[in-house]
Amino acid sequence: MMLKLYEQPAIEEVKEEWINEKGVRLFIKREDRIHPFVSGNKWRKLKYNLLKAREDGHKTLLTFGGAFSNHIYAAAAAAKEAGFQSIGVIRGDELADKPLNETLSFAKDNGMKFHFVSREDYRIKHEELFITALKEQFGEFYLVPEGGSNHLAIRGCEEIVDDQVKRFDFIGLPVGTGGTISGIISASDKYQQVIGFSALKGDFLIDEVKNFLSSYQINRPVSLNWQIETDYHFGGYAKTTPELINFIKRFEADHNIPLDQVYTGKMMYGLYDKIRKGYFDEGVKILAIHTGGLQGRRL
């Protein structure tokens, strides 16, 4: 049994009078609605990883994340639905003796076992000695990287770009680890422009995406028209401001589309700001990808 797709993601227009006056049209693809617990890019990233784990005969998934991680939340639910056991290596050994928050409680209820590690050890989680020690402790497992981003995740995220998506001039989306945008860049047509809105400080994600695309060895033409905006992180990962929270609340009240303050809210704020500033030419159609992550809403 693999992951079920509960609902095909619809594309909805975001109608604002001032946007119409700018001569552009803005739409949003509701990837958040494809699964109640494994939504958006998490479903896309895990799809082929789960198939590979099953193909290789694994019975346990092991992955990494922080205490509020959307990925941990989704991986636990996905593993349970697909019939795997799951282990979450959680950043912060000081959390081991504390009550579980909502994210970790949900993961535990879905069968995930936790291994809390120090923040120092967490930084070396990809090193061979660290992985070997985990295998000595837990036995064999299928490893899914932090955020779920690997070549199989990129393959899954390519499928976000269907025939409908290819009708748009611009594709906007939030960026965390770089896997989702790599898949979208890979699958987009050469005339399309892809804009990622970083949830983190710094411009290191540009190199991360270049590395993904290079290691993925894409064997067909790829859009060279992509960029990552680094001016809309609102203080960095999981940071926010009253301005962002007020924007999210107004957007939800006007359009009945929920956003989160870590990823999708920052993306939509960035798109609104760029439209206001005249970044987009008249007549273009812009598509925002709603990548889910709503379990992390803290408004």
Side-chain angles (χ1 to χ4, degrees):
M1 179 179 178
M2 287 292 105
L3 282 181
K4 179 181 177 181
L5 183 69
Y6 279 73
E7 184 177 328
Q8 289 294 337
I11 292 178
E12 304 173 8
E13 184 163 9
V14 179
K15 295 183 178 181
E16 299 263 13
E17 185 176 345
W18 69 269
I19 293 179
N20 292 337
E21 291 172 353
K22 291 288 186 179
V24 303
R25 296 179 70 186
L26 176 62
F27 298 78
I28 186 166
K29 188 178 186 190
R30 299 295 304 277
E31 290 278 317
D32 59 304
R33 301 181 66 175
I34 63 179
H35 192 286
F37 306 118
V38 193
S39 70
N41 62 344
K42 301 307 178 191
W43 194 97
R44 302 291 186 181
K45 288 180 173 183
L46 289 167
K47 174 183 175 181
Y48 289 110
N49 275 290
L50 290 171
L51 289 171
K52 178 63 173 173
R54 176 66 50 80
E55 177 185 318
D56 291 350
H58 289 284
K59 296 182 179 180
T60 301
L61 304 181
L62 181 142
T63 194
F64 308 89
F68 295 93
S69 168
N70 286 328
H71 172 67
I72 288 292
Y73 182 98
K80 181 180 179 181
E81 183 173 319
F84 292 95
Q85 298 177 32
S86 63
I87 300 167
V89 179
I90 309 299
R91 181 180 63 246
D93 55 351
E94 73 277 6
L95 302 173
D97 298 323
K98 293 183 179 180
L100 300 178
N101 63 23
E102 291 182 10
T103 299
L104 296 183
S105 292
F106 175 87
K108 181 181 179 182
D109 289 345
N110 279 267
M112 180 172 277
K113 297 179 180 178
F114 300 128
H115 178 54
F116 294 93
V117 300
S118 70
R119 295 171 191 275
E120 285 185 350
D121 285 347
Y122 194 82
R123 284 193 285 269
I124 61 169
K125 61 185 176 296
H126 298 309
E127 294 187 8
E128 186 175 347
L129 286 176
F130 187 82
I131 301 300
T132 299
L134 289 174
K135 289 184 176 180
E136 290 175 353
Q137 181 171 353
F138 296 109
E140 284 298 316
F141 52 76
Y142 181 86
L143 190 149
V144 180
E146 183 179 32
S149 292
N150 58 14
H151 71 286
L152 291 174
I154 292 173
R155 178 183 171 190
C157 289
E158 284 184 317
E159 295 177 358
I160 295 172
V161 185
D162 56 20
D163 290 340
Q164 283 187 307
V165 172
K166 290 186 177 183
R167 297 173 185 171
F168 291 87
D169 305 294
F170 287 84
I171 304 171
L173 71 154
V175 182
T177 55
T180 304
I181 192 173
S182 297
I184 287 176
I185 292 167
S186 169
S188 63
D189 282 343
K190 60 182 179 181
Y191 64 83
Q192 292 182 295
Q193 297 189 51
V194 180
I195 305 177
F197 293 86
S198 177
L200 297 82
K201 280 185 176 180
D203 56 7
F204 64 93
L205 280 170
I206 296 171
D207 288 334
E208 289 291 319
V209 172
K210 288 179 179 178
N211 289 336
F212 272 131
L213 294 174
S214 175
S215 62
Y216 190 45
Q217 297 179 339
I218 297 166
N219 57 7
R220 57 185 177 283
V222 174
S223 170
L224 299 177
N225 299 319
W226 65 273
Q227 66 189 81
I228 295 181
E229 287 283 351
T230 58
D231 293 334
Y232 301 99
H233 55 70
F234 289 88
Y237 181 72
K239 300 292 180 62
T240 188
T241 67
E243 181 183 12
L244 177 62
I245 298 301
N246 289 335
F247 169 81
I248 291 172
K249 290 179 177 179
R250 287 197 306 270
F251 182 86
E252 293 181 0
D254 292 341
H255 304 290
N256 196 30
I257 298 174
L259 304 173
D260 77 289
Q261 78 284 2
V262 180
Y263 294 109
T264 54
K266 294 176 180 180
M267 167 199 62
M268 196 57 67
Y269 182 101
L271 284 172
Y272 266 47
D273 190 54
K274 293 180 81 65
I275 293 171
R276 282 196 178 92
K277 292 176 177 177
Y279 177 87
F280 301 101
D281 293 333
E282 289 189 16
V284 304
K285 294 200 300 182
I286 307 157
L287 179 67
I289 306 296
H290 195 312
T291 52
L294 295 175
Q295 74 86 23
R297 282 164 53 91
R298 302 288 187 273
L299 302 184

